[in-house]
Amino acid sequence: MKETIIVIGSNGQIGTELVNELRSIYGGDNVIATDIKEPSYEVLHGGPFEFSDVLDKAGLQAIFEKYKPTQIYLLAALLSAVGEQKPKMAWELNMNGLLNILDFARTYGVKKVYWPSSIAVFGPNSPKQQTPQYCTMDPNTVYGFSKLAGERWCEYYFLKYGLDVRSLRYPGLIGWKSAPGGGTTDYAVHIFHEALKSNSYECFLSENTELPMMHMSDAIKATIGIMDADASLVKIRSSYNVAAMSFTPKSLTEEIVKHLPDFKISYVDTDPRQAIADSWPKSIDDSYSRKDWGWNNQFDLPGLVTDMITNLKK
Ligand code: AKB
């Protein structure tokens, strides 16, 4: 059956890469990119693009009517750091945006919906090492508890209405094709740009702050992987833990120095993002993803650093 896929929030860090990958699989015309802002040249010219605000129900209805999508990827969200600056807006966008899409997906008989969650669903009382799929979850950022509530809604729509919703709890995502937008893990992308530009970087997290991270191409592989999996294999309908590696600014720097021996990092110790990072897991147990639908990552830390530096140099 022909798929018609709408990606909502196509201009963000994930959307930019996901749209291109989906278009290479399903054909440019079958993947409709939507965002509130003008997209990159590649997204605009690779297939249909529509301006759309996920909070504007009339606008969404027109798009669902026009395209009759079979799959939706909802990526529009405010991330952890920006969410703390605009808490009400983060709640409104992250929560009502999701509910609008779940409702339109039901009304228009969409076959599958993808919605990203995050390691931000965990909080200060969650286990820090190898954080399990099921444990205490007491997120203390608006982003974190909007994602946790969103997970509950996704599972609810699956159980109550049979809507096939699938979701992953992303760690920090690192890629060279797109810029991150307002998260706590953004340092791990900025560091590469600054290293190549000025051989130095002032980091807003302290040197031993360990966080789970993943190369963007692994994140895209995981996203399309769970969407392609047979429905019977997707046993968790809230959101799956997924992991690839964990590192600190210090261990990342040690790896970068192998390629750029003069690179120097310094640290600011007054950034509010530190408290967010301190409330999150250091590493993630993703055994359910590996067992249920066959997740495995390609990139480890040395591979990620080599790939980032090689491609950003070009
Ligand atoms: C953020 O830092 O807010 C995001 C995330 C881990 O969900 N990258």
Side-chain angles (χ1 to χ4, degrees):
M1 184 196 162
K2 175 178 166 285
E3 299 288 345
T4 305
I5 302 173
I6 297 185
V7 178
I8 298 167
S10 60
N11 296 2
Q13 190 195 10
I14 303 168
T16 310
E17 296 206 22
L18 184 66
V19 165
N20 291 334
E21 186 61 23
L22 288 171
R23 282 179 173 164
S24 74
I25 299 169
Y26 293 98
D29 288 348
N30 299 321
V31 179
I32 300 96
T34 78
D35 205 292
I36 52 171
K37 291 197 196 124
E38 183 91 21
S40 67
Y41 182 89
E42 205 179 354
V43 168
L44 188 61
H45 293 274
F49 174 81
E50 300 275 352
F51 284 104
S52 168
D53 177 351
V54 76
L55 296 175
D56 166 18
K57 287 192 192 178
L60 282 177
Q61 178 156 15
I63 287 177
F64 274 78
E65 275 294 333
K66 179 170 172 187
Y67 292 102
K68 307 270 185 334
T70 58
Q71 295 185 31
I72 301 283
Y73 289 76
L74 168 57
L75 305 174
L78 282 198
L79 298 187
S80 57
V82 174
E84 292 311 285
Q85 287 154 14
K86 302 172 183 168
K88 297 276 167 56
M89 194 178 148
W91 179 258
E92 166 78 2
L93 176 63
N94 296 359
M95 206 75 301
N96 291 337
L98 172 61
L99 288 171
N100 286 348
I101 293 307
L102 293 177
D103 284 335
F104 277 116
R106 274 189 72 202
T107 308
Y108 284 86
V110 172
K111 279 197 316 186
K112 284 187 255 186
V113 177
Y114 179 82
W115 174 81
S117 185
S118 160
I119 55 160
V121 292
F122 298 108
N125 290 296
S126 307
K128 292 270 180 248
Q129 295 291 353
Q130 287 301 303
T131 306
Q133 177 71 36
Y134 300 107
C135 60
T136 298
M137 296 166 97
D138 57 346
N140 57 13
T141 61
V142 179
Y143 175 63
F145 57 76
S146 70
K147 288 292 178 189
L148 185 53
E151 288 189 5
R152 300 285 89 222
W153 276 117
C154 288
E155 190 189 80
Y156 187 86
Y157 271 66
F158 173 73
L159 294 174
K160 186 112 179 165
Y161 308 120
L163 185 66
D164 188 348
V165 193
R166 304 170 183 209
S167 174
L168 301 173
R169 292 173 179 155
Y170 289 132
L173 302 181
I174 300 148
W176 50 271
K177 293 182 188 159
S178 55
T184 302
T185 57
D186 292 10
Y187 91 85
V189 179
H190 296 150
I191 193 170
F192 288 100
H193 291 269
E194 293 304 312
L196 288 166
K197 214 163 52 185
S198 62
N199 248 324
S200 66
Y201 178 64
E202 190 176 66
C203 188
F204 56 78
L205 296 183
S206 64
E207 61 178 348
N208 293 319
T209 307
E210 186 176 6
L211 287 169
M213 301 278 184
M214 185 181 282
H215 192 291
M216 183 59 87
S217 68
D218 271 342
I220 301 297
K221 184 178 131 186
T223 305
I224 296 176
I226 194 172
M227 284 295 268
D228 279 352
D230 191 87
S232 64
L233 301 178
V234 185
K235 300 195 172 76
I236 295 173
R237 294 302 184 145
S238 49
S239 190
Y240 274 94
N241 281 6
V242 273
M245 67 188 91
S246 286
F247 57 74
T248 64
K250 190 173 169 203
S251 59
L252 176 58
T253 299
E254 284 162 5
E255 207 53 52
I256 292 175
V257 164
K258 291 182 189 164
H259 299 258
L260 305 168
D262 295 331
F263 175 65
K264 296 269 175 308
I265 188 164
S266 58
Y267 299 93
V268 274
D269 60 5
T270 51
D271 195 284
R273 287 168 284 191
Q274 184 66 48
I276 301 176
D278 290 341
S279 76
W280 286 356
K282 294 181 189 301
S283 59
I284 294 285
D285 171 359
D286 65 351
S287 45
Y288 282 93
S289 281
R290 290 177 192 265
K291 183 165 53 85
D292 286 0
W293 52 273
W295 160 242
N296 62 75
N297 59 294
Q298 189 195 336
F299 283 89
D300 58 7
L301 178 57
L304 176 143
V305 171
T306 304
D307 183 73
M308 286 295 286
I309 292 181
T310 311
N311 284 296
L312 285 175
K313 261 189 187 163
K314 288 182 197 159

